[in-house]
Amino acid sequence: MALLGLVFLQGCASLQGGDGREATYGDYLAARFAGSEHETKIADKYFDRTLDAEPNNPVILERAFMVSLNGGDMERSVTLARRLVKLVSDHRLARLVLSLAAIRDGNYKDAQKEIGSAEQGAFIALVGSLTEAWAAAGDGNETLALDKLKAFEGKPAFGLFRAYHEALIADLLGDAKKAEAAYRTAMEASGGTSIRIVQAYASFLARQGRIDEGRAALDQYATLAPDHPLVKSALKQLNSGKPVRPLVANAAEGVAEALYGLGSALAQDATNDVAPLYLQLAIWMRPDFDVARTLLADNYEQKKRWADAIAIYNAVDKDSPLYGNAQIQKALDLDKLDRQDEAAAVLRKAQADNPKAVEPIIALGDIYRGKEKYAEAALEYTRALALAGKPDPSHWTIYYARGICNERLGKWPLAEEDLKTALKLSSEHPLVLNYLGYSWIEQGRNLKEALAMIEKAVELRPNDGFIVDSLGWALYRLGDYPKAAEYLERAVELEPGDPTINEHLGDALWKVGRKIEARFQWSHSLDMKPEQNRITLLKSKLELGLDAAERAVPRETAPAGS
């Protein structure tokens, strides 16, 4: 569709070629369209053609600059920024890019001059102050650097940010006393839950000869995330006896850390378009910044930009602690693009590179399960469990997933055994309570216990539409149609786009005599592309009504959303 749009717009330009200005406008429209589709190289070509005709147009220059910046082409961004500030001398983002370029080159005075020339405002008060602080630090001026951070005084939301960068700057410049005080403030403010702050503090302590204290800080974080690859890597480094590198070793890395922090905060809102820009700048300032890369890729995934996410994961260094995770995410994104064979190949290679890793095997099982290849998925989960060793609580998801596969394959005794194991290992996780309880009710077994399990699942997750649907459907199966309809209406409110839940509600409404509404829900379910085995039954319900239709086609046994 994007290519068709470009062909059309290019055609407009050529058709109007008799008038140079109209041709230029066509190129401009094509550039804008390509940029909106994240086709950076194509956009660049059309912007260049437009700028050849309109070299001093600040609007076109700015748009070309922004497309290059968002696309991660920093060399072109710097070139365009230099042209842009000749036309708009105080352009904030252009001056920031030029300031960052100066810091990269070690020209710290120039960096301060560039950012100082930007138009004042909230943007400069935040990003500009951090850039000026790190430029001063690069120049060896600790007093000026810390003075620039005073811009955050009286702003509680930035208290942690200020303390962290005070610590990094003092650490870089060898002021151990100030660094430790600021690190402690940052650790207390974050509650020890920020991996970057913990890493920086542990590194600082180790370089002060206090390796045990550094290890303790990392161990404390490991209680929150025992399998975090960055924690494992940092502990391995401490235990190796080799010199420990500071988290930030120069001004460029310091600015990168600041940009990453801002991008991380903004990325919590998936619709925010500034977050990826900050992350691109962070990676430019620190090319080995794989933490920023994985966050940028995650941001693209939230926007369903699967190909862009894959390109970012491809740039993660093979020696990075995050490489294994990047390969798994890359495979999952390939699957989103219906490139399952490539995804499987990536995961098999990842597992071959790290034979003790179960995560690539589980991911492959998840891909197969998502494609309803339950036999292949169950085989992968079995391989993962064999490699994982003695069952422990962290394995409950594998048993749960294999249980689902066995249930779908009609191997109920094996499924029940897996689901019971998952229930025990997970300390009765609501997903397992829901699936096992639902399955029992469908089979007419352990009805009282099954209903209690699903009720408990709803109590634990009252806003999970799929679990609320299970309770409504359980009540339906037990003949309590009015109460079933009540819960199923709530489930549809929570998950309006699920075809199974809409079908369930239609059935319950039919039973309570609301037949017009029932037919509406069945019709709505059909429009949502339900599983193939449901289409015939839904059409029969619409034509014949519920009772006659169900005599011909059996109902499904799996919970919605499983």
Side-chain angles (χ1 to χ4, degrees), residues 305-335:
R305 292 172 58 182
W306 313 116
D308 290 331
I310 290 168
I312 297 298
Y313 286 129
N314 282 337
V316 174
D317 191 270
K318 192 169 184 178
D319 293 328
S320 169
L322 299 174
Y323 179 76
N325 285 9
Q327 292 302 294
I328 291 173
Q329 288 303 130
K330 172 185 171 181
L332 296 176
D333 292 342
L334 285 167
D335 180 55

Coordinates of all heavy atoms in Angstrom, one line a residue, residues 305-335:
R305 N 5.6 -2.1 14.5 CA 6.6 -1.8 13.5 C 7.6 -3.0 13.6 O 8.7 -2.8 14.0 CB 7.2 -0.5 13.7 CG 6.3 0.7 13.5 CD 6.9 2.0 13.8 NE 8.2 2.3 13.1 CZ 8.9 3.4 13.3 NH1 8.5 4.3 14.2 NH2 10.1 3.6 12.7
W306 N 7.1 -4.2 13.2 CA 7.9 -5.4 13.5 C 9.2 -5.4 12.7 O 10.3 -5.8 13.3 CB 7.1 -6.6 13.0 CG 5.7 -6.6 13.6 CD1 4.5 -6.6 12.8 CD2 5.3 -6.7 14.9 NE1 3.4 -6.6 13.7 CE2 3.9 -6.6 15.0 CE3 6.0 -6.7 16.2 CZ2 3.1 -6.7 16.1 CZ3 5.2 -6.7 17.3 CH2 3.8 -6.7 17.3
A307 N 9.2 -5.0 11.4 CA 10.5 -5.0 10.7 C 11.5 -4.0 11.2 O 12.7 -4.3 11.3 CB 10.2 -4.6 9.2
D308 N 11.0 -2.8 11.7 CA 11.9 -1.9 12.3 C 12.5 -2.4 13.6 O 13.7 -2.2 13.9 CB 11.2 -0.5 12.6 CG 10.9 0.2 11.3 OD1 11.6 0.1 10.4 OD2 9.9 0.9 11.3
A309 N 11.7 -3.1 14.4 CA 12.2 -3.7 15.6 C 13.2 -4.8 15.3 O 14.3 -4.9 16.0 CB 11.0 -4.4 16.4
I310 N 13.0 -5.6 14.3 CA 14.0 -6.6 13.9 C 15.3 -6.0 13.5 O 16.4 -6.5 13.9 CB 13.4 -7.5 12.7 CG1 12.3 -8.3 13.2 CG2 14.5 -8.3 12.1 CD1 11.5 -9.0 12.1
A311 N 15.3 -4.9 12.8 CA 16.5 -4.2 12.4 C 17.3 -3.7 13.6 O 18.5 -3.8 13.6 CB 16.2 -3.0 11.5
I312 N 16.6 -3.3 14.6 CA 17.3 -2.8 15.8 C 17.9 -4.0 16.6 O 19.0 -4.0 17.0 CB 16.3 -2.0 16.8 CG1 15.8 -0.8 16.1 CG2 17.0 -1.7 18.1 CD1 16.9 0.2 15.7
Y313 N 17.1 -5.1 16.7 CA 17.6 -6.3 17.4 C 18.9 -6.8 16.7 O 19.8 -7.4 17.3 CB 16.6 -7.4 17.5 CG 15.5 -7.1 18.5 CD1 14.2 -7.2 18.2 CD2 15.9 -6.8 19.8 CE1 13.2 -6.9 19.2 CE2 14.9 -6.5 20.8 CZ 13.6 -6.6 20.4 OH 12.6 -6.3 21.4
N314 N 18.9 -6.7 15.3 CA 20.0 -7.2 14.6 C 21.3 -6.4 14.9 O 22.4 -6.9 14.7 CB 19.8 -7.0 13.1 CG 18.9 -8.1 12.5 OD1 18.8 -9.2 13.1 ND2 18.2 -7.9 11.4
A315 N 21.2 -5.2 15.5 CA 22.3 -4.4 15.8 C 22.9 -4.7 17.2 O 23.9 -4.2 17.6 CB 22.0 -2.9 15.7
V316 N 22.2 -5.5 18.0 CA 22.7 -5.8 19.3 C 23.9 -6.7 19.2 O 23.9 -7.8 18.5 CB 21.6 -6.6 20.1 CG1 22.1 -7.0 21.5 CG2 20.4 -5.6 20.4
D317 N 25.0 -6.3 19.8 CA 26.3 -7.1 19.7 C 26.2 -8.5 20.3 O 25.5 -8.7 21.3 CB 27.3 -6.3 20.5 CG 28.7 -6.8 20.2 OD1 29.2 -7.8 20.9 OD2 29.3 -6.3 19.2
K318 N 26.8 -9.4 19.6 CA 26.8 -10.8 20.0 C 27.3 -11.0 21.4 O 27.0 -12.0 22.1 CB 27.5 -11.7 19.0 CG 27.2 -13.2 19.1 CD 27.7 -14.0 18.0 CE 27.3 -15.4 18.1 NZ 27.8 -16.3 17.0
D319 N 28.3 -10.2 21.8 CA 28.9 -10.3 23.1 C 28.0 -9.6 24.2 O 28.4 -9.7 25.4 CB 30.3 -9.8 23.1 CG 31.2 -10.6 22.2 OD1 31.0 -11.8 22.2 OD2 32.1 -10.0 21.7
S320 N 27.0 -9.0 23.9 CA 26.2 -8.3 24.8 C 25.4 -9.2 25.7 O 24.9 -10.3 25.2 CB 25.2 -7.3 24.1 OG 24.2 -6.8 25.0
P321 N 25.2 -8.9 27.0 CA 24.3 -9.8 27.8 C 22.9 -9.8 27.3 O 22.2 -10.7 27.7 CB 24.4 -9.1 29.2 CG 25.6 -8.1 29.2 CD 25.8 -7.8 27.7
L322 N 22.5 -8.8 26.5 CA 21.2 -8.8 26.0 C 21.0 -9.5 24.7 O 19.9 -9.5 24.1 CB 20.7 -7.3 25.9 CG 20.7 -6.5 27.2 CD1 20.4 -5.1 26.9 CD2 19.7 -7.1 28.2
Y323 N 22.0 -10.1 24.1 CA 22.0 -10.7 22.8 C 21.0 -11.8 22.8 O 20.2 -11.9 21.8 CB 23.4 -11.2 22.4 CG 23.4 -11.9 21.0 CD1 23.3 -11.1 19.9 CD2 23.4 -13.2 20.9 CE1 23.3 -11.7 18.6 CE2 23.4 -13.8 19.7 CZ 23.4 -13.1 18.5 OH 23.4 -13.7 17.3
G324 N 21.0 -12.7 23.8 CA 20.1 -13.8 23.8 C 18.6 -13.4 23.8 O 17.8 -13.9 23.0
N325 N 18.3 -12.4 24.6 CA 16.9 -11.9 24.6 C 16.6 -11.2 23.3 O 15.4 -11.3 22.8 CB 16.8 -10.8 25.8 CG 16.7 -11.5 27.1 OD1 16.9 -12.7 27.3 ND2 16.5 -10.7 28.2
A326 N 17.5 -10.5 22.7 CA 17.3 -9.8 21.4 C 16.9 -10.9 20.3 O 16.1 -10.6 19.5 CB 18.5 -9.0 21.0
Q327 N 17.6 -12.0 20.4 CA 17.4 -13.0 19.4 C 16.0 -13.6 19.5 O 15.3 -13.9 18.5 CB 18.4 -14.1 19.4 CG 19.8 -13.7 19.0 CD 19.8 -13.1 17.6 OE1 19.6 -13.9 16.6 NE2 20.1 -11.8 17.4
I328 N 15.6 -13.8 20.8 CA 14.2 -14.3 21.0 C 13.2 -13.4 20.5 O 12.2 -13.7 19.9 CB 14.0 -14.7 22.5 CG1 14.9 -15.9 22.9 CG2 12.6 -15.0 22.8 CD1 14.9 -16.2 24.4
Q329 N 13.3 -12.1 20.9 CA 12.4 -11.1 20.5 C 12.4 -10.9 18.9 O 11.3 -10.7 18.3 CB 12.7 -9.7 21.1 CG 12.4 -9.7 22.6 CD 10.9 -10.0 22.9 OE1 10.7 -10.9 23.8 NE2 10.0 -9.4 22.2
K330 N 13.5 -11.0 18.3 CA 13.6 -11.0 16.9 C 12.8 -12.1 16.3 O 12.0 -11.9 15.3 CB 15.1 -11.1 16.4 CG 15.3 -11.2 14.9 CD 16.7 -11.4 14.6 CE 16.9 -11.8 13.2 NZ 18.4 -12.0 12.9
A331 N 12.9 -13.3 16.8 CA 12.1 -14.4 16.3 C 10.6 -14.2 16.5 O 9.9 -14.5 15.6 CB 12.6 -15.7 17.0
L332 N 10.2 -13.7 17.6 CA 8.8 -13.4 17.8 C 8.3 -12.4 16.8 O 7.1 -12.5 16.4 CB 8.6 -13.0 19.3 CG 8.9 -14.0 20.3 CD1 8.7 -13.4 21.7 CD2 8.0 -15.3 20.2
D333 N 9.1 -11.4 16.5 CA 8.7 -10.4 15.5 C 8.7 -11.0 14.1 O 7.8 -10.6 13.3 CB 9.7 -9.2 15.6 CG 9.6 -8.4 16.9 OD1 8.6 -8.6 17.6 OD2 10.5 -7.6 17.2
L334 N 9.6 -11.9 13.8 CA 9.5 -12.6 12.5 C 8.2 -13.3 12.4 O 7.6 -13.4 11.3 CB 10.7 -13.5 12.3 CG 12.1 -12.8 12.0 CD1 13.2 -13.8 12.2 CD2 12.1 -12.2 10.6
D335 N 7.8 -14.0 13.5 CA 6.6 -14.7 13.5 C 5.4 -13.8 13.2 O 4.4 -14.1 12.6 CB 6.4 -15.4 14.8 CG 5.1 -16.2 14.9 OD1 4.9 -17.1 14.1 OD2 4.3 -16.0 15.9

